[in-house]
mmCIF file of all heavy atoms in Angstrom:
data_model
loop_
_atom_site.group_PDB
_atom_site.id
_atom_site.type_symbol
_atom_site.label_atom_id
_atom_site.label_comp_id
_atom_site.label_asym_id
_atom_site.label_seq_id
_atom_site.Cartn_x
_atom_site.Cartn_y
_atom_site.Cartn_z
ATOM 1 N N ASP A 1 33.070 112.462 90.920
ATOM 2 C CA ASP A 1 31.758 112.448 91.555
ATOM 3 C C ASP A 1 31.608 113.649 92.498
ATOM 4 O O ASP A 1 30.528 114.246 92.569
ATOM 5 C CB ASP A 1 31.592 111.146 92.401
ATOM 6 C CG ASP A 1 30.177 110.976 92.817
ATOM 7 O OD1 ASP A 1 29.252 110.957 91.949
ATOM 8 O OD2 ASP A 1 29.974 110.880 94.042
ATOM 9 N N ALA A 2 32.688 113.983 93.158
ATOM 10 C CA ALA A 2 32.643 115.193 93.999
ATOM 11 C C ALA A 2 32.392 116.462 93.208
ATOM 12 O O ALA A 2 31.670 117.355 93.602
ATOM 13 C CB ALA A 2 33.915 115.301 94.851
ATOM 14 N N ASP A 3 33.016 116.518 92.015
ATOM 15 C CA ASP A 3 32.821 117.663 91.167
ATOM 16 C C ASP A 3 31.364 117.813 90.758
ATOM 17 O O ASP A 3 30.900 118.914 90.491
ATOM 18 C CB ASP A 3 33.700 117.552 89.858
ATOM 19 C CG ASP A 3 35.180 117.740 90.192
ATOM 20 O OD1 ASP A 3 35.474 118.304 91.254
ATOM 21 O OD2 ASP A 3 35.991 117.338 89.362
ATOM 22 N N LEU A 4 30.660 116.697 90.674
ATOM 23 C CA LEU A 4 29.237 116.782 90.283
ATOM 24 C C LEU A 4 28.369 117.280 91.407
ATOM 25 O O LEU A 4 27.212 117.580 91.174
ATOM 26 C CB LEU A 4 28.772 115.350 89.871
ATOM 27 C CG LEU A 4 29.397 114.827 88.562
ATOM 28 C CD1 LEU A 4 29.061 113.359 88.441
ATOM 29 C CD2 LEU A 4 28.813 115.568 87.406
ATOM 30 N N ALA A 5 28.898 117.352 92.596
ATOM 31 C CA ALA A 5 28.166 117.851 93.765
ATOM 32 C C ALA A 5 26.884 117.055 94.002
ATOM 33 O O ALA A 5 25.890 117.546 94.423
ATOM 34 C CB ALA A 5 27.809 119.300 93.616
ATOM 35 N N LEU A 6 27.003 115.735 93.716
ATOM 36 C CA LEU A 6 25.863 114.868 93.971
ATOM 37 C C LEU A 6 26.129 114.211 95.324
ATOM 38 O O LEU A 6 26.873 113.243 95.446
ATOM 39 C CB LEU A 6 25.783 113.774 92.918
ATOM 40 C CG LEU A 6 25.354 114.231 91.544
ATOM 41 C CD1 LEU A 6 25.360 113.024 90.590
ATOM 42 C CD2 LEU A 6 23.979 114.863 91.578
ATOM 43 N N TYR A 7 25.546 114.756 96.377
ATOM 44 C CA TYR A 7 25.815 114.185 97.670
ATOM 45 C C TYR A 7 24.580 114.363 98.573
ATOM 46 O O TYR A 7 23.722 115.158 98.313
ATOM 47 C CB TYR A 7 27.025 114.860 98.325
ATOM 48 C CG TYR A 7 26.864 116.342 98.565
ATOM 49 C CD1 TYR A 7 26.257 116.802 99.749
ATOM 50 C CD2 TYR A 7 27.247 117.269 97.638
ATOM 51 C CE1 TYR A 7 26.107 118.170 99.954
ATOM 52 C CE2 TYR A 7 27.131 118.624 97.808
ATOM 53 C CZ TYR A 7 26.521 119.047 98.989
ATOM 54 O OH TYR A 7 26.354 120.395 99.208
ATOM 55 N N THR A 8 24.553 113.514 99.589
ATOM 56 C CA THR A 8 23.543 113.623 100.598
ATOM 57 C C THR A 8 24.180 114.090 101.883
ATOM 58 O O THR A 8 25.121 113.497 102.384
ATOM 59 C CB THR A 8 22.873 112.244 100.859
ATOM 60 O OG1 THR A 8 22.358 111.747 99.587
ATOM 61 C CG2 THR A 8 21.764 112.340 101.841
ATOM 62 N N HIS A 9 23.671 115.222 102.374
ATOM 63 C CA HIS A 9 24.253 115.772 103.552
ATOM 64 C C HIS A 9 23.382 115.415 104.756
ATOM 65 O O HIS A 9 22.303 115.934 104.919
ATOM 66 C CB HIS A 9 24.334 117.319 103.371
ATOM 67 C CG HIS A 9 25.024 118.026 104.497
ATOM 68 N ND1 HIS A 9 25.265 119.365 104.465
ATOM 69 C CD2 HIS A 9 25.563 117.600 105.659
ATOM 70 C CE1 HIS A 9 25.897 119.733 105.569
ATOM 71 N NE2 HIS A 9 26.071 118.689 106.297
ATOM 72 N N HIS A 10 23.844 114.535 105.571
ATOM 73 C CA HIS A 10 23.101 114.114 106.764
ATOM 74 C C HIS A 10 23.280 115.224 107.833
ATOM 75 O O HIS A 10 24.384 115.424 108.321
ATOM 76 C CB HIS A 10 23.613 112.770 107.295
ATOM 77 C CG HIS A 10 23.401 111.688 106.311
ATOM 78 N ND1 HIS A 10 22.166 111.096 106.099
ATOM 79 C CD2 HIS A 10 24.229 111.112 105.382
ATOM 80 C CE1 HIS A 10 22.268 110.145 105.136
ATOM 81 N NE2 HIS A 10 23.498 110.119 104.734
ATOM 82 N N HIS A 11 22.205 115.882 108.173
ATOM 83 C CA HIS A 11 22.289 117.083 108.977
ATOM 84 C C HIS A 11 22.362 116.696 110.459
ATOM 85 O O HIS A 11 21.391 116.780 111.200
ATOM 86 C CB HIS A 11 21.013 117.913 108.701
ATOM 87 C CG HIS A 11 21.272 119.388 108.868
ATOM 88 N ND1 HIS A 11 20.895 120.313 107.899
ATOM 89 C CD2 HIS A 11 21.886 120.105 109.842
ATOM 90 C CE1 HIS A 11 21.231 121.503 108.301
ATOM 91 N NE2 HIS A 11 21.812 121.439 109.456
ATOM 92 N N ASP A 12 23.587 116.313 110.876
ATOM 93 C CA ASP A 12 23.737 115.913 112.292
ATOM 94 C C ASP A 12 24.528 116.883 113.090
ATOM 95 O O ASP A 12 25.237 116.589 114.001
ATOM 96 C CB ASP A 12 24.412 114.505 112.350
ATOM 97 C CG ASP A 12 25.708 114.442 111.594
ATOM 98 O OD1 ASP A 12 26.114 115.465 111.005
ATOM 99 O OD2 ASP A 12 26.284 113.363 111.548
ATOM 100 N N HIS A 13 24.455 118.189 112.642
ATOM 101 C CA HIS A 13 25.073 119.219 113.449
ATOM 102 C C HIS A 13 24.110 120.428 113.460
ATOM 103 O O HIS A 13 23.103 120.437 112.790
ATOM 104 C CB HIS A 13 26.415 119.675 112.832
ATOM 105 C CG HIS A 13 26.337 120.119 111.412
ATOM 106 N ND1 HIS A 13 26.569 119.256 110.367
ATOM 107 C CD2 HIS A 13 25.990 121.303 110.851
ATOM 108 C CE1 HIS A 13 26.430 119.945 109.219
ATOM 109 N NE2 HIS A 13 26.010 121.175 109.493
ATOM 110 N N THR A 14 24.457 121.446 114.249
ATOM 111 C CA THR A 14 23.582 122.626 114.349
ATOM 112 C C THR A 14 24.293 123.867 113.810
ATOM 113 O O THR A 14 25.524 123.831 113.586
ATOM 114 C CB THR A 14 23.203 122.862 115.805
ATOM 115 O OG1 THR A 14 24.384 123.006 116.606
ATOM 116 C CG2 THR A 14 22.379 121.716 116.352
ATOM 117 N N HIS A 15 23.536 124.919 113.634
ATOM 118 C CA HIS A 15 24.102 126.153 113.057
ATOM 119 C C HIS A 15 23.881 127.273 114.074
ATOM 120 O O HIS A 15 22.938 127.296 114.860
ATOM 121 C CB HIS A 15 23.393 126.528 111.757
ATOM 122 C CG HIS A 15 23.608 125.510 110.651
ATOM 123 N ND1 HIS A 15 24.550 125.694 109.677
ATOM 124 C CD2 HIS A 15 23.024 124.345 110.431
ATOM 125 C CE1 HIS A 15 24.536 124.654 108.850
ATOM 126 N NE2 HIS A 15 23.612 123.823 109.309
ATOM 127 N N ASP A 16 24.770 128.300 113.978
ATOM 128 C CA ASP A 16 24.574 129.472 114.836
ATOM 129 C C ASP A 16 23.637 130.434 114.146
ATOM 130 O O ASP A 16 23.086 130.175 113.064
ATOM 131 C CB ASP A 16 25.940 130.124 115.201
ATOM 132 C CG ASP A 16 26.672 130.613 113.960
ATOM 133 O OD1 ASP A 16 26.025 130.805 112.883
ATOM 134 O OD2 ASP A 16 27.890 130.850 114.050
ATOM 135 N N ALA A 17 23.468 131.639 114.752
ATOM 136 C CA ALA A 17 22.494 132.595 114.239
ATOM 137 C C ALA A 17 22.886 133.087 112.847
ATOM 138 O O ALA A 17 22.012 133.577 112.112
ATOM 139 C CB ALA A 17 22.383 133.757 115.208
ATOM 140 N N LEU A 18 24.192 133.027 112.499
ATOM 141 C CA LEU A 18 24.664 133.479 111.218
ATOM 142 C C LEU A 18 24.639 132.355 110.150
ATOM 143 O O LEU A 18 25.003 132.556 109.009
ATOM 144 C CB LEU A 18 26.042 134.068 111.293
ATOM 145 C CG LEU A 18 26.182 135.283 112.165
ATOM 146 C CD1 LEU A 18 27.618 135.719 112.306
ATOM 147 C CD2 LEU A 18 25.286 136.432 111.662
ATOM 148 N N GLY A 19 24.212 131.129 110.600
ATOM 149 C CA GLY A 19 24.153 130.058 109.612
ATOM 150 C C GLY A 19 25.413 129.202 109.571
ATOM 151 O O GLY A 19 25.524 128.276 108.794
ATOM 152 N N GLU A 20 26.423 129.543 110.377
ATOM 153 C CA GLU A 20 27.652 128.816 110.371
ATOM 154 C C GLU A 20 27.503 127.503 111.159
ATOM 155 O O GLU A 20 26.810 127.477 112.195
ATOM 156 C CB GLU A 20 28.807 129.610 111.014
ATOM 157 C CG GLU A 20 29.171 130.882 110.232
ATOM 158 C CD GLU A 20 29.721 130.561 108.886
ATOM 159 O OE1 GLU A 20 30.415 129.515 108.772
ATOM 160 O OE2 GLU A 20 29.551 131.329 107.940
ATOM 161 N N ALA A 21 28.118 126.395 110.677
ATOM 162 C CA ALA A 21 28.046 125.138 111.363
ATOM 163 C C ALA A 21 28.846 125.185 112.652
ATOM 164 O O ALA A 21 29.976 125.685 112.742
ATOM 165 C CB ALA A 21 28.610 124.051 110.493
ATOM 166 N N LEU A 22 28.218 124.741 113.749
ATOM 167 C CA LEU A 22 28.931 124.663 115.020
ATOM 168 C C LEU A 22 29.769 123.398 115.029
ATOM 169 O O LEU A 22 29.535 122.464 114.287
ATOM 170 C CB LEU A 22 27.894 124.623 116.174
ATOM 171 C CG LEU A 22 27.023 125.913 116.309
ATOM 172 C CD1 LEU A 22 25.925 125.659 117.343
ATOM 173 C CD2 LEU A 22 27.910 127.052 116.690
ATOM 174 N N PRO A 23 30.824 123.369 115.898
ATOM 175 C CA PRO A 23 31.725 122.200 115.955
ATOM 176 C C PRO A 23 30.936 120.909 116.112
ATOM 177 O O PRO A 23 29.975 120.821 116.885
ATOM 178 C CB PRO A 23 32.607 122.459 117.143
ATOM 179 C CG PRO A 23 32.606 123.979 117.238
ATOM 180 C CD PRO A 23 31.228 124.397 116.846
ATOM 181 N N GLY A 24 31.378 119.897 115.394
ATOM 182 C CA GLY A 24 30.731 118.607 115.398
ATOM 183 C C GLY A 24 31.198 117.800 114.221
ATOM 184 O O GLY A 24 32.131 118.217 113.511
ATOM 185 N N ILE A 25 30.597 116.687 113.971
ATOM 186 C CA ILE A 25 30.986 115.857 112.833
ATOM 187 C C ILE A 25 29.864 115.859 111.822
ATOM 188 O O ILE A 25 28.720 115.594 112.132
ATOM 189 C CB ILE A 25 31.272 114.414 113.277
ATOM 190 C CG1 ILE A 25 32.454 114.401 114.230
ATOM 191 C CG2 ILE A 25 31.494 113.511 112.089
ATOM 192 C CD1 ILE A 25 32.749 113.018 114.775
ATOM 193 N N ALA A 26 30.192 116.225 110.612
ATOM 194 C CA ALA A 26 29.255 116.184 109.506
ATOM 195 C C ALA A 26 29.527 114.997 108.641
ATOM 196 O O ALA A 26 30.636 114.742 108.251
ATOM 197 C CB ALA A 26 29.403 117.479 108.656
ATOM 198 N N HIS A 27 28.498 114.212 108.340
ATOM 199 C CA HIS A 27 28.632 113.025 107.539
ATOM 200 C C HIS A 27 28.241 113.366 106.108
ATOM 201 O O HIS A 27 27.136 113.838 105.867
ATOM 202 C CB HIS A 27 27.699 111.924 108.057
ATOM 203 C CG HIS A 27 27.807 110.659 107.253
ATOM 204 N ND1 HIS A 27 28.881 109.841 107.348
ATOM 205 C CD2 HIS A 27 26.960 110.135 106.326
ATOM 206 C CE1 HIS A 27 28.669 108.807 106.570
ATOM 207 N NE2 HIS A 27 27.519 108.946 105.940
ATOM 208 N N VAL A 28 29.157 113.227 105.206
ATOM 209 C CA VAL A 28 28.909 113.526 103.784
ATOM 210 C C VAL A 28 29.002 112.250 102.993
ATOM 211 O O VAL A 28 29.980 111.476 103.103
ATOM 212 C CB VAL A 28 29.953 114.544 103.240
ATOM 213 C CG1 VAL A 28 29.644 114.849 101.796
ATOM 214 C CG2 VAL A 28 29.944 115.787 104.087
ATOM 215 N N HIS A 29 27.968 111.968 102.191
ATOM 216 C CA HIS A 29 27.955 110.766 101.363
ATOM 217 C C HIS A 29 28.015 111.101 99.905
ATOM 218 O O HIS A 29 27.146 111.818 99.403
ATOM 219 C CB HIS A 29 26.652 109.969 101.657
ATOM 220 C CG HIS A 29 26.535 108.773 100.744
ATOM 221 N ND1 HIS A 29 27.317 107.646 100.924
ATOM 222 C CD2 HIS A 29 25.713 108.542 99.673
ATOM 223 C CE1 HIS A 29 26.962 106.756 99.987
ATOM 224 N NE2 HIS A 29 25.994 107.311 99.242
ATOM 225 N N HIS A 30 29.008 110.654 99.226
ATOM 226 C CA HIS A 30 29.075 110.775 97.766
ATOM 227 C C HIS A 30 28.762 109.418 97.173
ATOM 228 O O HIS A 30 29.064 108.389 97.765
ATOM 229 C CB HIS A 30 30.528 111.149 97.341
ATOM 230 C CG HIS A 30 30.920 112.545 97.774
ATOM 231 N ND1 HIS A 30 30.558 113.654 97.040
ATOM 232 C CD2 HIS A 30 31.569 112.975 98.889
ATOM 233 C CE1 HIS A 30 31.058 114.734 97.681
ATOM 234 N NE2 HIS A 30 31.653 114.350 98.776
ATOM 235 N N ALA A 31 28.173 109.480 95.993
ATOM 236 C CA ALA A 31 27.870 108.209 95.291
ATOM 237 C C ALA A 31 29.115 107.428 95.095
ATOM 238 O O ALA A 31 30.048 107.850 94.406
ATOM 239 C CB ALA A 31 27.203 108.502 93.955
ATOM 240 N N GLY A 32 29.210 106.267 95.716
ATOM 241 C CA GLY A 32 30.372 105.393 95.548
ATOM 242 C C GLY A 32 31.556 105.843 96.379
ATOM 243 O O GLY A 32 32.611 105.326 96.244
ATOM 244 N N CYS A 33 31.382 106.821 97.302
ATOM 245 C CA CYS A 33 32.537 107.346 98.066
ATOM 246 C C CYS A 33 32.010 107.896 99.334
ATOM 247 O O CYS A 33 31.186 108.792 99.334
ATOM 248 C CB CYS A 33 33.227 108.444 97.249
ATOM 249 S SG CYS A 33 34.650 109.127 98.051
ATOM 250 N N GLU A 34 32.374 107.393 100.447
ATOM 251 C CA GLU A 34 31.775 107.787 101.709
ATOM 252 C C GLU A 34 32.869 108.091 102.750
ATOM 253 O O GLU A 34 33.850 107.356 102.852
ATOM 254 C CB GLU A 34 30.861 106.655 102.235
ATOM 255 C CG GLU A 34 30.091 107.046 103.454
ATOM 256 C CD GLU A 34 29.046 105.997 103.810
ATOM 257 O OE1 GLU A 34 28.476 105.419 102.870
ATOM 258 O OE2 GLU A 34 28.863 105.740 105.026
ATOM 259 N N HIS A 35 32.723 109.180 103.465
ATOM 260 C CA HIS A 35 33.667 109.550 104.505
ATOM 261 C C HIS A 35 33.027 110.465 105.514
ATOM 262 O O HIS A 35 32.033 111.111 105.214
ATOM 263 C CB HIS A 35 34.960 110.124 103.920
ATOM 264 C CG HIS A 35 34.673 111.346 103.123
ATOM 265 N ND1 HIS A 35 34.377 111.276 101.783
ATOM 266 C CD2 HIS A 35 34.653 112.664 103.435
ATOM 267 C CE1 HIS A 35 34.162 112.510 101.289
ATOM 268 N NE2 HIS A 35 34.343 113.367 102.294
ATOM 269 N N ASP A 36 33.609 110.535 106.720
ATOM 270 C CA ASP A 36 33.213 111.490 107.701
ATOM 271 C C ASP A 36 34.245 112.607 107.733
ATOM 272 O O ASP A 36 35.456 112.400 107.562
ATOM 273 C CB ASP A 36 33.161 110.879 109.084
ATOM 274 C CG ASP A 36 31.995 109.906 109.189
ATOM 275 O OD1 ASP A 36 30.925 110.174 108.567
ATOM 276 O OD2 ASP A 36 32.105 108.897 109.881
#
């Protein structure tokens, strides 16, 4: 399922001016598989 890249990215973090994610917790949901 991960190989299929079917996921919902809950955007609960911020990015810097270059687009990089700042420290925080990103919640990634895969169909049938969930983890932080």
Side-chain angles (χ1 to χ4, degrees):
D1 190 57
D3 288 340
L4 291 168
L6 290 178
Y7 62 87
T8 302
H9 185 175
H10 296 282
H11 211 130
D12 54 2
H13 56 264
T14 57
H15 296 262
D16 62 19
L18 297 177
E20 296 295 329
L22 296 173
I25 296 176
H27 180 75
V28 181
H29 175 72
H30 292 275
C33 181
E34 185 172 325
H35 57 273
D36 289 327

